[in-house]
Amino acid sequence: MAFTEQELQYWKNHYPLLHDITALHPVFWLNPQIKQVQNLPSLAVNKTDIEEAEQLWRRFIPFLQQAFPETNGIIESPLREISSMKEKLTNDFALPFAGELYLKCDNQLPIAGSIKARGGIYEVLQHAEKSALDAGLVTKETNYAVFASEKLKSFFQKYSIGVGSTGNLGLSIGIISAKLGFHVSVYMSREAKQWKKDLLREKGATVLEFPGDFSEAISKGRQKTQENPLGYFVDDEDSKHLFLGYSVAALHLQKQLDEKQIKVDHEHPLFVYLPCGVGGSPGGITFGLKQVFGDHVHCFFVEPTHSPSVLIGLLTGEKEKVSVQDFGIDNRTAADGLAVGRPSRFATSISEHLISGIYTIEDDELYKLLFTLAASEDIYVEPSAAAGLPGPGKIAQTTYMEKHNLNAEQATHIAWATGGALVPETDRKQFYEKGRDLMESSR
Ligand SMILES: *Cc1c(COP(=O)(O)O)cnc(C)c1O
């Protein structure tokens, strides 16, 4: 429920940044609660959990190879240096910075075409494994190619999976669940893109549409799914499994950095910019990266000016207890995966002490960045996925480097491109043209 004028005044007096946030101005916030890794309180997950998640992915390689021949059994994306984009950020966006700029191309992730392939597919695989282990159909030593067999498919037919989604999570859960043989229902907000609904139905998922935003679709879905004793609900607002699925990305990124001989240590800081919705994917990846690189990695989240849910949750300390709507913010943004009014309970309680900060960005800026990335690097992403690109230039405008005694010249910056591969050609063209027109009119 929205706060009264008086209550809002109280919050704004305590947290003056809320004046700009509620006026929908882009802001840059540094997290006063960040702790050095050695001083962290005990968290709900640990390094062993990530390693076990990695092993589960490994067990499923033979299944993924068989069910999705376009993959090699591994769901990963390239890390690409984007120096032309760096030049454009300097010249066309007035966002110069020192160090190298890379793009983590999760826009190319197989199967789901977005970062949701990491968390969503992981959660369904762990549920499938657990169900099959409990029924005595497999052991952890079995060759998991058997998960592609008719026998297991018919076993999973009596199980159902539900998920509430603005789109990308639904795609990832829907596609993998249907492939395994589960009966899967995706609860979507009515505004979700038609092509996403069509694609899901084509893959064998049931799509149910609800008016209002994502949170309502989630509560309806949770309730309906749990009416079936063999029902399993993937809860984006509170999921440890999604979180762990995302966290494995850190182990793979470490390998990719090694292969490129990119050092990460006190002399060579690593900066990562992660588009943020409920905070699960950026939270899981940040958690993983902190386990791997400790205090040498600096993680920033990015949210749309109209959906700053994690920012408000962390700034006020109220986390999932408040929504952007409580503060009179409308949660309307073209950044599909980021249009979230309330943060994840599970993820936010962990990110609270790990992230360096959050900045917000306007939709028009996303289109301009999307266009510029396509024009300069021939990489096509969806609007949400462009949000990390201005990060390095924004840091350079602050005293962050000096304050932390960091060598900016030797920094590596990674913008996490979180989605795009499944966007149909017509939408892609529209995004691109919109960005081009905005660039031209701002010259
Ligand atoms: C879901 C999504 C995100 C954010 O992930 P959360 O776990 O919701 O924070 C970012 N980008 C895209 C394209 C997404 O679909």
Side-chain angles (χ1 to χ4, degrees):
M1 242 196 356
F3 289 122
T4 62
E5 202 46 53
Q6 209 175 1
E7 288 167 329
L8 272 181
Q9 209 48 56
Y10 164 88
W11 286 113
K12 287 180 187 171
N13 288 343
H14 274 71
Y15 303 101
L17 193 64
L18 280 168
H19 287 282
D20 278 341
I21 295 172
T22 53
L24 305 175
H25 296 149
V27 299
F28 184 93
W29 174 74
L30 287 174
N31 178 14
Q33 303 282 356
I34 186 169
K35 291 201 171 9
Q36 289 194 314
V37 168
Q38 63 185 43
N39 299 332
L40 282 175
S42 96
L43 302 172
V45 278
N46 57 45
K47 178 117 195 243
T48 311
D49 293 320
I50 306 182
E51 285 159 0
E52 284 175 8
E54 160 80 357
Q55 283 158 19
L56 185 140
W57 276 116
R58 276 180 204 275
R59 289 194 290 280
F60 274 98
I61 289 174
F63 163 74
L64 292 170
Q65 279 171 329
Q66 196 148 337
F68 302 95
E70 72 274 21
T71 73
N72 52 2
I74 293 172
I75 297 178
E76 238 334 309
S77 74
L79 178 68
R80 264 183 64 174
E81 184 165 11
I82 46 169
S83 40
S84 307
M85 184 67 195
K86 182 186 172 187
E87 241 177 82
K88 294 282 184 192
L89 286 165
T90 302
N91 299 326
D92 299 355
F93 289 81
L95 286 169
F97 59 93
E100 312 292 349
L101 178 62
Y102 287 81
L103 193 72
K104 180 60 178 158
C105 300
D106 276 10
N107 56 303
Q108 295 177 25
L109 278 182
I111 305 177
S114 82
I115 195 164
K116 299 297 193 309
R118 299 181 183 278
I121 294 176
Y122 175 81
E123 177 148 9
V124 174
L125 291 181
Q126 73 77 31
H127 176 61
E129 179 184 63
K130 184 169 186 312
S131 310
L133 285 170
D134 289 351
L137 292 170
V138 298
T139 71
K140 286 188 181 175
E141 283 69 45
T142 305
N143 180 333
Y144 277 12
V146 69
F147 278 90
S149 70
E150 282 310 316
K151 181 179 166 199
L152 280 237
K153 268 192 198 161
S154 58
F155 167 72
F156 287 127
Q157 254 154 34
K158 56 181 190 290
Y159 287 79
S160 68
I161 290 186
V163 63
S165 171
T166 50
N168 283 337
L169 184 65
L171 282 178
S172 135
I173 302 288
I175 294 172
I176 186 69
S177 302
K179 194 61 136 187
L180 283 159
F182 287 105
H183 181 78
V184 56
S185 300
V186 181
Y187 297 81
M188 291 186 131
S189 51
R190 190 154 293 155
E191 301 98 275
K193 297 256 163 36
Q194 190 58 42
W195 67 263
K196 293 187 179 173
K197 300 174 192 164
D198 295 343
L199 181 63
L200 273 170
R201 290 185 173 122
E202 182 197 311
K203 301 274 180 187
T206 304
V207 177
L208 300 120
E209 298 174 48
F210 290 88
D213 85 358
F214 181 45
S215 291
E216 290 169 51
I218 290 193
S219 35
K220 255 287 170 314
R222 187 185 290 125
Q223 185 197 328
K224 280 273 168 217
T225 309
Q226 287 168 355
E227 283 169 11
N228 174 358
L230 293 180
Y232 180 91
F233 187 70
V234 177
D235 196 340
D236 201 19
E237 289 181 332
D238 195 18
S239 170
K240 178 177 171 176
H241 297 299
L242 284 177
F243 191 87
L244 286 175
Y246 293 125
S247 72
V248 174
L251 305 182
H252 297 171
L253 183 66
Q254 180 183 32
K255 246 190 244 152
Q256 288 180 318
L257 290 169
D258 273 353
E259 279 162 18
K260 293 187 190 296
Q261 297 178 352
I262 298 169
K263 284 194 213 146
V264 181
D265 54 31
H266 182 68
E267 289 303 306
H268 304 83
L270 175 64
F271 285 78
V272 183
Y273 308 92
L274 298 143
C276 173
V278 294
S281 70
I285 290 171
T286 296
F287 171 72
L289 289 172
K290 286 285 178 182
Q291 299 298 317
V292 174
F293 298 115
D295 300 321
H296 305 314
V297 63
H298 306 258
C299 299
F300 289 84
F301 289 5
V302 198
E303 297 189 296
T305 50
H306 286 252
S307 303
S309 55
V310 175
L311 172 56
I312 289 185
L314 289 183
L315 172 71
T316 61
E318 297 290 305
K319 293 179 259 186
E320 78 285 355
K321 293 185 190 68
V322 290
S323 71
V324 300
Q325 289 92 345
D326 293 342
F327 288 82
I329 300 173
D330 63 10
N331 192 30
R332 300 195 79 83
T333 166
D336 268 8
L338 314 186
V340 172
R342 190 183 297 278
S344 154
R345 189 197 65 85
F346 186 85
T348 313
S349 66
I350 295 174
S351 304
E352 182 176 23
H353 298 302
L354 297 182
I355 64 169
S356 297
I358 300 180
Y359 64 87
T360 57
I361 187 166
E362 291 178 328
D363 282 11
D364 279 1
E365 223 38 44
L366 295 177
Y367 285 112
K368 288 193 215 169
L369 291 160
L370 177 158
F371 162 76
T372 307
L373 184 67
S376 63
E377 303 279 353
D378 201 26
I379 299 173
Y380 291 80
V381 299
E382 58 184 274
S384 307
L389 290 163
K394 284 185 187 269
I395 307 272
Q397 292 169 350
T398 71
T399 56
Y400 189 89
M401 296 285 181
E402 293 82 358
K403 228 179 75 192
H404 292 85
N405 203 10
L406 298 172
N407 187 343
E409 296 295 329
Q410 302 199 77
T412 300
H413 299 274
I414 299 178
W416 212 286
T418 45
L422 297 188
V423 176
E425 192 53 42
T426 45
D427 293 47
R428 193 176 273 191
K429 195 155 162 268
Q430 261 174 23
F431 294 158
Y432 180 88
E433 284 169 1
K434 179 154 186 175
R436 186 194 55 202
D437 294 348
L438 285 164
M439 285 304 283
E440 274 167 12
S441 59
S442 66
R443 257 182 244 272

